[in-house]
Amino acid sequence: MQDELVSLVTFTIDDREVSALAGMTILDAATAAGIDIPHLCSDPRLEPTGACRLCVVEIEGERGVQTSCTRQVQPGMVVRANTEKTFALRKSTLEMLLSEHRVACTTCDMDGGCLLQDYSYQYQASETALPNIALPCDQDNYSSGDKAIVYDASKCVRCQLCVRFCSEIQMVEALTLRGRGGDVEVTTGFDIELNESACELCGGCVNICPTGAMYDRQAMGMGRPNDLVKVRTTCSYCGVGCQLDLNVNPKLDRIVRVTSEVGCVPNDGNLCVKGKYAFDFVHSPDRLTTPLIREKGELREASWDEAIATAAAGLAATRDEYGPEGVAFLSSARCTNEENYLMQKLARMAGRTNNVDQCATTCHAPTVAGLAAAFGSGAMTNSIAEIEDVQTIFLIGGNPTEAHPIVGLGMKRALRKGARLIVADPRVTWLAARADIHIKHRPGTDNILVNAMMNHIITNGLHNEEFVKERVENYEAFRENISAQTVEEAAEVCGVEADLIRKAAEWYAEGTPSSIFYTLGITEHTCGTENVKNLANLAMLCGQIGKESSGVNPIRGQNNVQGACDMGAMAGKLPGYQMWSDDVTRAKFEEAWGGVLPSNPGGTVTDFIEKAGEGVLKALYCFGEDPVRSEPNTTKVLKELGQLQFLVCQDIFMSETAKLADVILPAACFAEKDGTFTNTERRVQRVRKAVAPPGEAKADWEILCDVSTAMGYPMSYEQPKEIWDELASLTPNLAGISYERLENEGGLQWPCPAPDHPGTKFLHGNGFTRGKGLFHEITFREAAELPDDEYPMILSTGRTLYNYNVGNMTRPTLAVEAKQPENFVEIHEEDAARLGIKQGDRVRVETRRGMITAAAHVATKVRPGAIWMPFHYGESSTNYLTNDAFDNITRTAEYKVCAAKIEPVS
Amino acid sequence: MTRVADPGELAALKTRLQEEGVGGGARIGVCATGCRAMGALELAQEFRDQLAAQGLDDDVSVVETGCHGQCARAPLVLVEPQGFLYGKIKTGDVADVIEKTVREGVPVERLCEQANGEAVPAMADIPFYKAQRKQVFRDCGKVDPKRIEDAIVRGTYQGVAKALTEMTPEEVISEVTDSGLRGRGGAGFPAGVKWGICRKVQGDEKFLVCNADEGDPGAFMDRALLEGVPHQVLEGMIIAAYAIGASRAFVYVRAEYPVAVEHATLAIEQARECGLLGQNILGSGFDLDIEVRMGAGAFICGEETALIASLEGERGMPRPRPPYPAQSGYLARPTTINNVETLANVGSIILGGEGSYSAIGTEGSKGTKVFALAGKVENTGLVEVPMGTTLRQIVFDVGGGVLGGLPFKAAQIGGPSGGCLPSEHLDLPIDYDSVKETGAIMGSGGLIVMDEETCMVDIARFFTEFVKDESCGKCSPCRIGTRHMFDILQRITEGEGEAGDVDRLVEIGEFVKEGSLCGLGQTAANPTLSTIRYFRDEYEAHINDGACPARMCKDLIKVWIDPAKCVGCRVCLTVCPTEAITGGKKLIHIIDQDACTQCAECYLVCPPKLDAIVKLTGREARELESLPAPVLYTEWRQKVGAAAGQPSEAEVE
């Protein structure tokens, strides 16, 4: 199919015959052919604009010169890129640009990395050919007080890349131009402060600036491009897995700024505020730098030897005394594949228990369980790059422009390409506000909504009969189950118009191609797994899966939650989702690991906490997680974890959980170690060490080896690559991936069973992993706790653009803190008016489990009767409120629905 | 409003209106558009009041019309059926007009004075009009622009009827192509060809835009058309939209034209009510609606792609071509943009057939062209002449010659994008191709006449300042190049010119021309390059001799009182704003050169008989000697043996 789309054009440039894809610009075709044409205002991500006039070429048969960035190649076209005339024009243009540029290279942060400087040198353009008319450099502007971005109009070449990026890619239009002629400057609308504007701090303007006009405030004076070393690594925030370049000043052993390169996968040089700016935590003075041991109730510093010995002894003693149910290991979706592999191996071989889990339980375990049941494989079926070509996007329970901004950019791109957008979300998110259909349903009613859509589809014969017949089983029972589910009843229960449901169903069924996207709005319910299964039902019913840009796409929340699951850091599965209950598999691992695998069923993190409270679980090794902050009903969690006899925490900060620990092991963060992460689209990508860990902190994999060895199961590796080689040899899906390939080819998507396998772009193309897809009969049931007279509101929680989970990594960044300094609660203006709450008021939010205060954000973003809060703020921790009611299959908590009341703080 | 459903009903309506005498009979036509600033509305009211007071209001109607063209005589009033055109008329004249002309049919001579001093009452006899050929403006000044009935009775919309019901779009396109109509916006691209390209492009939705973003300083023919004959413009738009296949159209007009906006908006409403816009126009099955969109006053928005950006709500900045608007214009749909004057020609082309239109004009340029005649010319205003009329005919026959009878030096044609035509080109037939050969462009029709007292460097500086300020700032050559050109020109006019400046101007000018993205930049250097081409000596005089031959650049001139001629009349002394002139009765006046600002007010008021005040430049100025102290002029004349023939104080008085 691809071959049909791609047609080649042959043309001549500088007497060379060159082939290019039809539709390519002369500039791109020339660049691909290795012919250098200077350009300042062109970027492959943006529509060409032809402003700088440097890329002029001569085209045979045409008068004058043409800009190569705006002209598409035509068959037989004869282009002369480098002639006397183009050279002279470019040189004159450069001299013009230099004349309106404050040539301050000696003090400029971009000295050595500035395109104007490079071209001026190349063309020997003189900065004295014309009188200098640069704008004044010391003028206050919209960026003067900004913590993240600084704009200096005197260095601006008016290429407008920043403005166009802000409008075309980011689509926030925070930046604009003002003035005419030589007075043109970049600014915000009405010159308001950047921080007050629509700016989302993605830093795209800074990254795209060809000169030093737009720069990172905190990086000023911290090193010029030639002083800095770029270390390519993978972002450690959400599951998108953006490729970052950590710009390190080796003299300072410090990350100075973060950039990204156009063309890199999956983010194509685009970043969000977290990837771009939230790295200050790395060098935070609050990092743990030395091992700590609790003695007489107080923590004291200890040597590594002592700390390892104490940790190992405590764990081993509990294991020996209480058996496999007495000890548990909490692995980390924030850490590398290698480390997760080691942790589950440690749990099983040194801890002799299947009590191993990580935070997938907190978020996407229903995805893994639900999709595995329906398709046989619990991962995102398509790639991020396929999003832009989806024709009908059905986004339910997800807010990618905030939680997964680069996936959000893909959807924005799809919108620009004409996609239809259906959003089902109780909140008016950025995408919901721009959706063709927004179903603003009551939280917790997803299943009845989806059932009604499917009923409407079947009733109107819009389903894909052939697909259903050939590729799915259990259709009749499934159909029978939803046959009575009317759209009207669903509309009543969901609190939306019936016609919206019908139209959404029709559009989704007919879309070519359609694709479902969801996140925790689907999974964090007591019916989370059922929700996921039902979305799988919808996709299979319409045959909207198993093809390019079409499938069921959960977007994973943590940088390596996919990898942590892949690595078997969960009770039921060994690496690669191999079942420990399977004899052949067991034998393979027992031979490789040199020991006997445990046989207890093991539990999830929510089980661990409950069991601790019940006095069954005695010791916990918690690594890179903070369950006190992240699990629901904090008061209860604290009480339950308090029952543990022995708690080991391994972390980069003194987390709330670490404060309870007997031994604390200081760990390296993502920028201080090597390894791999696997992103939401199953892409394994490298993590590379950029700076040294602070103090005595060590890479997690080293600590894990030491603890395991001290517990009596020796583990020793020289470097993470060795760990990878071992795990890949045991995991068929990853067998073809090696560090060498990752180095040479970039990230690879599993399944990748052999060294010559290119990786898998989308799943289930030639049949489902489990053979036939399986329809499930899902019946709607209400959430565990519904509003009543005493607690009349529905509280949902979620993530914001600026902060990440428990906030300790994002909040050290000043620009982030300036943008979103405190916890808040969104409330509908009708409710606010009734309760006497005004914008910005402090309010008390209370549930049966706890009470906190926060600032009120009054608008119409949430439904009347609903409130919404983030959970990023330790001083006002939302999980004191959330309900510890769990999904019946995966034990994921119902963060999205609980009953609450809200009142002004008098 | 009568709704017309087919061409027959339109014809019947026209006949009925004719029978009712609409647009005819005894009328006082007051230009209420261009002349509004000269008190025309008050004048019209005065006519109404007095006619009513005299019981004549049933017999004589007062009509607020569009522009008559002879703006130098504003405000203008046309009295019908006599056909007398009165100028510089005040409310105090109204009684006489009613008494003499309305009642007795005789002219009020004092309101008929022409530039040559003659009193010519009948519009048809006025030399200014005799030398013109009014086609586009034939109805302007005669109809009430606020009444569609006035337009219909004069045949407007007959072209629509013919095009929509008797011709296919292709036939319309070939008719217009064959007529030779070229874009009046400036570039002169054949209108029919433009339509044909847009027609052929595939697209579900196409748009037509009437470009009324008239931005050339001094040009106002598009404004006058929209203000004075809006229905004629709409007629052209309907036919053009039919030809290209557009069902939506816009009038993009600058917000600084409130009367044009008002009249166009009203005309659209009336046409809609009349069934000439909307669904199934005249039963043809063709649908069209038109809306008015206001621009915010950026010169660049007259450029097609910038106009489209502005229509879309974006900052008005040009976009690269290709794709051309015909392929991807408004909302990326095929779009045709035509100038107001172009569209105003269309109706008569369709009605008259191509032969009658192309009979006028030159080989490559057909029809008439409207010019906004300005500068040092007697009859400033709007003039319409056949293509190929010579510059001399326009300036002297129509324009009545250079103001004050001074020698003609040059004419700036085409506004800031154009260039100058020196006296050697006085016999140049003005059409697209001839003008282009001189290094100027036809442009939208700005024509500024310059005499010997116009400094060509200063003119170049003026226009360059305009384009520098109006450059949108997008592309580097235009944004930066025009700024450097302006800086150099400014320096030269300030006497700070340096050797090599002229070559540098040519070099930057050619670079800006070649390197710029859009028409603004590509033509921005024209005023400079063409003045250098024809008046390089003036530049060199500024630079090398510190002299402004036209004696206009203040930094290069000194104003001096010739002691041999001054009689101490004190006239100049009283007007000097800086009190730089000393002297007294019969004492020869002296200008304190340190206090003088070269405003030359004194120069203007010195009695012509004396001609004692002169502007000096160059060496004369640098070496001038003033009297140390005022002396009696009689003594001075005795002392130096005053020139014979110099008038005395008494003679002057």
Side-chain angles (χ1 to χ4, degrees):
Chain A
M1 177 166 146
Q2 276 206 330
D3 294 331
E4 288 170 32
L5 290 172
V6 175
S7 68
L8 284 177
V9 171
T10 304
F11 75 111
T12 307
I13 178 162
D14 286 351
D15 302 321
R16 269 177 59 192
E17 196 154 274
V18 169
S19 286
L21 298 177
M24 248 180 154
T25 64
I26 297 173
L27 177 63
D28 290 343
T31 307
I35 292 171
D36 181 41
I37 301 178
H39 56 91
L40 285 172
C41 72
S42 160
D43 184 285
R45 292 167 293 179
L46 301 175
E47 293 295 319
T49 193
C52 78
R53 317 305 284 176
L54 274 179
C55 71
V56 288
V57 295
E58 294 184 79
I59 300 173
E60 203 167 279
E62 293 189 26
R63 213 156 32 96
V65 290
Q66 314 294 335
T67 43
S68 59
C69 70
T70 63
R71 287 296 296 272
Q72 292 180 356
V73 290
Q74 302 293 336
M77 194 180 230
V78 178
V79 178
R80 293 201 175 75
N82 292 295
T83 64
E84 238 174 80
K85 183 173 189 171
T86 60
F87 187 93
L89 272 171
R90 288 173 195 162
K91 184 175 176 179
S92 298
T93 302
L94 287 165
E95 288 179 343
M96 288 278 161
L97 288 167
L98 284 172
S99 79
E100 67 162 5
H101 185 79
R102 185 165 65 92
V103 189
C105 302
T106 42
T107 54
C108 183
D109 290 292
M110 280 299 277
D111 178 35
C114 165
L115 278 180
L116 179 63
Q117 191 185 51
D118 289 351
Y119 293 143
S120 296
Y121 181 80
Q122 191 187 337
Y123 283 78
Q124 290 290 294
S126 160
E127 60 270 64
T128 56
L130 292 158
N132 192 275
I133 51 170
L135 290 170
C137 67
D138 49 358
Q139 302 271 309
D140 266 0
N141 64 30
Y142 69 97
S143 75
S144 295
D146 200 70
K147 300 277 193 292
I149 294 169
V150 56
Y151 170 69
D152 179 351
S154 73
K155 294 180 187 170
C156 177
V157 291
R158 277 81 153 195
C159 63
Q160 304 167 51
L161 282 170
C162 53
V163 176
R164 287 152 58 210
F165 186 93
C166 199
S167 132
E168 289 179 34
I169 303 294
Q170 198 66 21
M171 287 174 81
V172 300
E173 301 186 327
L175 296 180
T176 184
L177 296 180
R178 74 156 184 214
R180 291 185 211 169
D183 294 331
V184 163
E185 271 185 65
V186 174
T187 185
T188 52
F190 305 106
D191 301 327
I192 58 171
E193 282 183 28
L194 189 62
N195 198 41
E196 302 291 318
S197 76
C199 171
E200 293 179 346
L201 285 174
C202 72
C205 50
V206 172
N207 288 346
I208 208 167
C209 181
T211 70
M214 197 79 85
Y215 201 69
D216 297 318
R217 169 87 59 193
Q218 306 297 334
M220 287 175 73
M222 300 290 282
R224 294 157 296 185
N226 290 333
D227 304 327
L228 303 176
V229 176
K230 284 187 180 179
V231 180
R232 171 67 55 90
T233 193
T234 303
C235 181
S236 71
Y237 287 106
C238 76
V240 173
C242 292
Q243 295 301 288
L244 313 173
D245 291 329
L246 301 178
N247 290 224
V248 175
N249 187 330
K251 285 182 194 156
L252 306 171
D253 193 28
R254 200 177 169 90
I255 302 166
V256 164
R257 65 194 297 237
V258 173
T259 55
S260 182
E261 203 171 289
V262 178
C264 69
V265 177
N267 51 309
D268 198 14
N270 304 320
L271 295 173
C272 77
V273 52
K274 296 182 278 265
K276 171 72 184 164
Y277 289 114
F279 61 87
D280 288 5
F281 77 90
V282 175
H283 304 296
S284 162
D286 296 337
R287 286 283 300 276
L288 291 171
T289 56
T290 170
L292 301 169
I293 292 179
R294 190 171 299 278
E295 206 170 72
K296 297 188 190 105
E298 296 292 318
L299 287 168
R300 67 160 173 86
E301 293 189 355
S303 71
W304 269 112
D305 285 348
E306 191 188 4
I308 296 287
T310 311
L315 293 166
T318 326
R319 169 197 70 195
D320 293 342
E321 191 176 344
Y322 298 100
E325 294 303 328
V327 60
F329 296 82
L330 186 52
S331 195
S332 176
R334 316 287 292 131
C335 291
T336 64
N337 284 321
E338 291 76 2
E339 288 157 351
N340 276 282
Y341 173 80
L342 289 190
M343 186 52 152
Q344 60 83 33
K345 187 176 168 187
L346 183 158
R348 287 173 167 131
M349 303 312 290
R352 295 174 208 155
T353 180
N354 271 321
N355 269 343
V356 57
D357 198 20
Q358 28 73 35
C359 74
T361 291
T362 315
C363 54
H364 263 300
T367 290
V368 178
L371 295 187
F375 306 146
S377 171
M380 184 167 169
T381 62
N382 299 78
S383 300
I384 294 167
E386 291 167 51
I387 297 173
E388 63 179 81
D389 293 317
V390 179
Q391 288 292 307
T392 306
I393 294 174
F394 180 35
L395 171 65
I396 179 166
N399 182 13
T401 58
E402 293 202 57
H404 306 88
I406 301 305
V407 163
L409 290 192
M411 292 187 182
K412 289 175 178 178
R413 202 166 158 75
L415 290 186
R416 285 202 307 283
K417 288 173 113 172
R420 291 193 295 199
L421 175 63
I422 306 163
V423 175
D425 200 302
R427 283 170 85 215
V428 186
T429 59
W430 193 97
L431 283 165
R434 288 151 183 85
D436 300 284
I437 298 173
H438 178 200
I439 298 170
K440 197 177 178 180
H441 59 314
R442 175 164 64 87
T445 60
D446 306 274
N447 269 327
I448 196 166
L449 170 69
V450 173
N451 276 347
M453 285 173 69
M454 294 191 295
N455 178 290
H456 183 72
I457 286 167
I458 294 172
T459 309
N460 290 279
L462 299 173
H463 57 299
N464 188 331
E465 263 180 75
E466 193 190 327
F467 188 93
V468 167
K469 205 170 130 204
E470 288 183 5
R471 295 196 49 184
V472 200
E473 55 195 21
N474 198 32
Y475 175 67
E476 276 312 312
F478 154 77
R479 191 187 56 77
E480 178 60 31
N481 179 55
I482 56 165
S483 60
Q485 184 55 68
T486 64
V487 170
E488 283 70 20
E489 188 207 358
E492 178 73 29
V493 172
C494 296
V496 298
E497 284 173 42
D499 273 350
L500 286 184
I501 301 178
R502 289 193 191 94
K503 206 164 160 195
E506 290 161 17
W507 281 14
Y508 173 78
E510 291 166 351
T512 48
S514 295
S515 198
I516 297 171
F517 297 86
Y518 71 87
T519 58
L520 307 187
I522 284 298
T523 59
E524 286 181 346
H525 289 284
T526 43
C527 55
T529 306
E530 291 162 14
N531 280 347
V532 172
K533 285 175 176 171
N534 225 12
L535 291 177
N537 283 343
L538 176 63
M540 292 189 293
L541 180 65
C542 300
Q544 297 284 12
I545 185 164
K547 52 190 182 182
E548 185 120 3
S549 297
S550 183
V552 179
N553 293 294
I555 310 162
R556 305 302 296 260
Q558 313 248 18
N559 55 318
N560 200 33
V561 68
Q562 182 68 52
C565 294
D566 298 347
M567 290 303 114
M570 52 209 283
K573 306 279 183 359
L574 286 163
Y577 306 95
Q578 300 174 82
M579 303 297 286
W580 61 268
S581 51
D582 177 74
D583 288 342
V584 180
T585 305
R586 278 181 80 91
K588 180 172 78 173
F589 279 96
E590 287 181 345
E591 194 197 334
W593 290 351
V596 182
L597 285 172
S599 55
N600 65 318
T604 66
V605 55
T606 39
D607 294 326
F608 299 164
I609 295 165
E610 253 180 35
K611 291 275 163 59
E614 290 165 9
V616 176
L617 183 76
K618 297 294 185 182
L620 176 65
Y621 185 175
C622 175
F623 147 52
E625 297 278 332
D626 188 4
V628 170
R629 286 285 313 284
S630 59
E631 296 306 312
N633 195 354
T634 308
T635 309
K636 192 169 162 216
V637 170
L638 279 169
K639 197 168 138 225
E640 288 168 331
L641 289 180
Q643 304 290 309
L644 285 170
Q645 271 182 21
F646 190 66
L647 175 63
V648 179
C649 276
Q650 181 171 322
D651 211 312
I652 62 172
F653 284 110
M654 179 63 81
S655 68
E656 292 302 310
T657 310
K659 285 177 186 168
L660 308 174
D662 299 285
V663 180
I664 299 174
L665 305 172
C669 77
F670 85 110
E672 298 153 355
K673 62 188 179 186
D674 286 303
T676 57
F677 292 156
T678 303
N679 79 349
T680 186
E681 53 171 359
R682 301 167 274 102
R683 189 182 300 277
V684 179
Q685 306 186 108
R686 275 298 311 273
V687 174
R688 293 184 180 85
K689 181 174 177 175
V691 288
E696 294 172 42
K698 276 203 236 182
D700 291 288
W701 62 271
E702 294 176 276
I703 304 172
L704 291 169
C705 286
D706 290 348
V707 172
S708 185
T709 303
M711 284 175 76
Y713 180 78
M715 291 203 290
S716 170
Y717 302 88
E718 281 297 310
Q719 47 181 316
K721 178 182 178 305
E722 289 174 17
I723 308 170
W724 178 269
D725 289 343
E726 176 184 319
L727 73 90
S729 72
L730 292 166
T731 313
N733 264 345
L734 302 169
I737 301 177
S738 65
Y739 272 40
E740 288 76 18
R741 282 191 74 184
L742 294 177
E743 204 65 47
N744 297 332
E745 300 170 41
L748 289 164
Q749 286 170 287
W750 66 255
C752 181
D756 57 355
H757 189 283
T760 305
K761 189 172 166 187
F762 58 88
L763 299 178
H764 317 306
N766 305 312
F768 289 103
T769 312
R770 73 181 286 279
K772 277 199 165 189
L774 178 63
F775 279 122
H776 288 89
E777 299 127 81
I778 306 296
T779 309
F780 167 67
R781 55 195 169 88
E782 290 279 8
E785 187 184 60
L786 293 176
D788 52 27
D789 289 346
E790 196 182 351
Y791 296 98
M793 311 294 285
I794 301 177
L795 167 67
S796 305
T797 69
R799 198 190 274 174
T800 70
L801 172 64
Y802 298 99
N803 274 301
Y804 190 82
N805 291 7
V806 302
N808 58 10
M809 287 168 67
T810 44
R811 293 185 70 197
T813 293
L814 293 174
V816 167
E817 201 62 355
K819 200 85 188 179
Q820 206 175 64
E822 59 174 353
N823 199 10
F824 60 88
V825 52
E826 290 177 358
I827 179 168
H828 193 277
E829 59 188 24
E830 287 174 15
D831 294 324
R834 185 168 43 78
L835 296 165
I837 295 167
K838 293 187 297 299
Q839 174 68 20
D841 279 359
R842 290 219 64 79
V843 290
R844 185 182 300 117
V845 185
E846 190 180 337
T847 68
R848 289 185 173 82
R849 293 155 296 280
M851 185 271 287
I852 58 172
T853 63
H857 284 191
V858 179
T860 54
K861 207 168 167 184
V862 292
R863 292 167 53 96
I867 54 175
W868 186 94
M869 298 183 80
F871 55 99
H872 309 308
Y873 297 87
E875 66 277 17
S876 163
S877 186
T878 307
N879 277 326
Y880 276 99
L881 307 177
T882 47
N883 190 9
D884 50 330
F886 303 107
D887 176 55
N888 52 355
I889 295 166
T890 63
R891 304 277 296 156
T892 297
E894 192 153 56
Y895 293 95
K896 298 300 183 190
V897 183
C898 73
K901 67 179 170 189
I902 178 168
E903 58 199 7
V905 175
S906 46
Chain B
M1 190 78 51
T2 312
R3 202 176 167 79
V4 289
D6 56 48
E9 289 189 18
L10 179 65
L13 174 63
K14 186 184 169 200
T15 312
R16 199 190 82 209
L17 293 171
Q18 263 165 350
E19 286 164 5
E20 290 171 4
V22 169
R27 292 154 53 105
I28 310 277
V30 182
C31 167
T33 56
C35 294
R36 187 172 292 200
M38 304 296 283
L41 294 182
E42 295 75 14
L43 193 61
Q45 192 55 45
E46 186 69 20
F47 271 112
R48 274 188 216 104
D49 292 347
Q50 293 204 20
L51 287 169
Q54 297 182 36
L56 289 168
D57 49 335
D58 282 345
D59 305 323
V60 183
S61 53
V62 177
V63 182
E64 293 181 6
T65 71
C67 178
H68 295 291
Q70 203 182 13
C71 306
R73 291 175 64 212
L76 290 162
V77 169
L78 179 66
V79 186
E80 300 276 25
Q82 293 79 6
F84 297 162
L85 185 70
Y86 293 141
K88 297 185 180 171
I89 170 172
K90 299 183 180 59
T91 46
D93 299 316
V94 169
D96 274 359
V97 172
I98 294 173
E99 184 58 34
K100 293 211 169 127
T101 311
V102 174
R103 288 189 183 277
E104 298 168 19
V106 297
V108 181
E109 296 276 330
R110 65 171 187 280
L111 302 175
C112 304
E113 195 182 333
Q114 301 300 312
N116 57 9
E118 263 180 82
V120 187
M123 188 173 176
D125 300 331
I126 297 173
F128 173 77
Y129 292 104
K130 275 168 92 175
Q132 295 190 49
R133 174 148 183 175
K134 291 219 176 197
Q135 280 208 316
V136 178
F137 271 88
R138 65 188 178 276
D139 291 344
C140 195
K142 300 203 169 62
V143 300
D144 182 345
K146 290 182 177 173
R147 281 166 51 91
I148 193 172
E149 294 86 348
D150 271 33
I152 288 174
V153 82
R154 293 186 75 92
T156 311
Y157 292 115
Q158 294 297 327
V160 169
K162 181 175 173 189
L164 267 52
T165 61
E166 294 172 27
M167 299 167 81
T168 64
E170 287 74 17
E171 284 167 351
V172 172
I173 288 169
S174 76
E175 184 82 43
V176 173
T177 306
D178 293 345
S179 78
L181 175 65
R182 294 173 69 170
R184 297 296 192 247
F189 192 80
V193 175
K194 198 176 199 178
W195 296 0
I197 294 168
C198 193
R199 168 119 209 128
K200 285 200 191 82
V201 177
Q202 295 292 316
D204 305 336
E205 199 178 16
K206 294 180 185 176
F207 296 102
L208 173 81
V209 181
C210 168
N211 184 352
D213 193 66
E214 192 172 42
D216 286 5
F220 59 103
M221 61 285 288
D222 293 342
R223 189 188 90 181
L225 286 168
L226 268 185
E227 288 177 347
V229 282
H231 289 285
Q232 190 178 325
V233 180
L234 296 189
E235 173 173 39
M237 288 182 73
I238 298 167
I239 295 167
Y242 173 71
I244 63 170
S247 56
R248 273 179 76 193
F250 301 97
V251 178
Y252 183 88
V253 55
R254 51 203 296 131
E256 299 95 315
Y257 283 3
V259 181
V261 171
E262 183 197 336
H263 289 188
T265 307
L266 187 64
I268 290 167
E269 277 168 28
Q270 291 171 345
R272 208 179 280 140
E273 281 173 36
C274 218
L276 292 161
L277 284 176
Q279 305 285 308
N280 193 18
I281 298 169
L282 296 180
S284 64
F286 175 65
D287 308 330
L288 176 71
D289 210 348
I290 302 180
E291 58 182 288
V292 171
R293 291 280 186 92
M294 280 185 275
F299 179 63
I300 187 61
C301 288
E303 197 278 341
E304 291 193 346
T305 58
L307 186 157
I308 288 167
S310 171
L311 265 187
E312 290 171 350
E314 303 284 325
R315 183 180 155 98
M317 279 183 152
R319 295 167 180 174
R321 323 172 203 218
Y324 292 89
Q327 303 160 312
S328 174
Y330 179 62
L331 304 180
R333 310 289 200 283
T335 304
T336 290
I337 300 168
N338 286 132
N339 162 267
V340 177
E341 189 187 335
T342 314
L343 290 165
N345 268 301
V346 169
S348 61
I349 290 175
I350 293 298
L351 270 190
E354 56 96 6
S356 68
Y357 184 85
S358 60
I360 311 166
T362 61
E363 178 66 32
S365 307
K366 299 298 182 192
T368 59
K369 177 75 195 97
V370 183
F371 292 98
L373 201 52
K376 305 281 185 66
V377 64
E378 292 288 355
N379 289 325
T380 54
L382 287 182
V383 306
E384 183 176 357
V385 292
M387 287 281 186
T389 305
T390 65
L391 183 58
R392 187 186 301 280
Q393 288 169 310
I394 297 172
V395 174
F396 290 92
D397 299 349
V398 180
V402 177
L403 202 62
L406 286 174
F408 172 87
K409 184 175 194 177
Q412 171 77 19
I413 184 167
S417 304
C420 69
L421 302 174
S423 53
E424 66 198 79
H425 285 313
L426 266 175
D427 292 311
L428 185 81
I430 304 290
D431 64 21
Y432 289 101
D433 309 310
S434 318
V435 172
K436 203 168 177 192
E437 272 175 39
T438 68
I441 61 165
M442 183 84 112
S444 59
L447 194 66
I448 301 170
V449 176
M450 296 174 284
D451 63 15
E452 287 298 340
E453 292 192 349
T454 312
C455 171
M456 301 312 285
V457 186
D458 189 54
I459 283 290
R461 186 200 62 82
F462 171 82
F463 282 115
T464 307
E465 179 168 31
F466 180 87
V467 288
K468 166 191 81 91
D469 289 344
E470 292 293 341
S471 164
C472 75
K474 177 172 177 175
C475 78
S476 336
C478 174
R479 178 182 73 243
I480 314 171
T482 55
R483 165 72 191 273
H484 283 297
M485 289 178 73
F486 170 75
D487 286 351
I488 295 171
L489 289 162
Q490 176 94 327
R491 263 198 300 108
I492 297 176
T493 58
E494 285 171 351
E496 305 290 329
E498 292 164 10
D501 272 351
V502 178
D503 290 338
R504 207 165 294 128
L505 281 171
V506 172
E507 196 183 312
I508 300 174
E510 294 293 347
F511 165 74
V512 172
K513 209 168 168 170
E514 176 127 68
S516 292
L517 168 64
C518 82
L520 188 152
Q522 285 158 12
T523 58
N526 280 357
T528 305
L529 294 177
S530 78
T531 49
I532 290 176
R533 179 167 166 182
Y534 295 112
F535 299 96
R536 195 180 175 109
D537 53 336
E538 274 195 43
Y539 281 84
E540 278 162 2
H542 281 74
I543 296 166
N544 302 336
D545 310 334
C548 173
R551 290 166 165 78
M552 287 304 290
C553 295
K554 286 180 182 169
D555 290 307
L556 295 178
I557 60 166
K558 293 228 167 108
V559 184
W560 180 67
I561 298 172
D562 186 347
K565 294 181 177 175
C566 180
V567 298
C569 71
R570 300 181 76 240
V571 169
C572 61
L573 197 144
T574 55
V575 300
C576 179
T578 60
E579 297 179 2
I581 303 178
T582 52
K585 193 144 178 71
K586 298 186 184 178
L587 291 172
I588 294 176
H589 300 350
I590 301 166
I591 298 176
D592 174 1
Q593 293 297 336
D594 292 335
C596 175
T597 60
Q598 290 86 37
C599 73
E601 281 298 309
C602 53
Y603 169 82
L604 295 174
V605 298
C606 183
K609 282 181 184 169
L610 291 173
D611 198 19
I613 302 185
V614 291
K615 294 196 275 186
L616 303 175
T617 188
R619 208 173 123 199
E620 286 177 333
R622 287 193 295 276
E623 294 176 359
L624 86 87
E625 283 178 28
S626 298
L627 287 181
V631 292
L632 280 170
Y633 82 91
T634 43
E635 284 176 15
W636 179 260
R637 285 188 183 183
Q638 276 171 3
K639 189 174 162 191
V640 300
Q646 279 303 316
S648 70
E649 183 205 355
E651 284 164 351
V652 171
E653 280 170 5

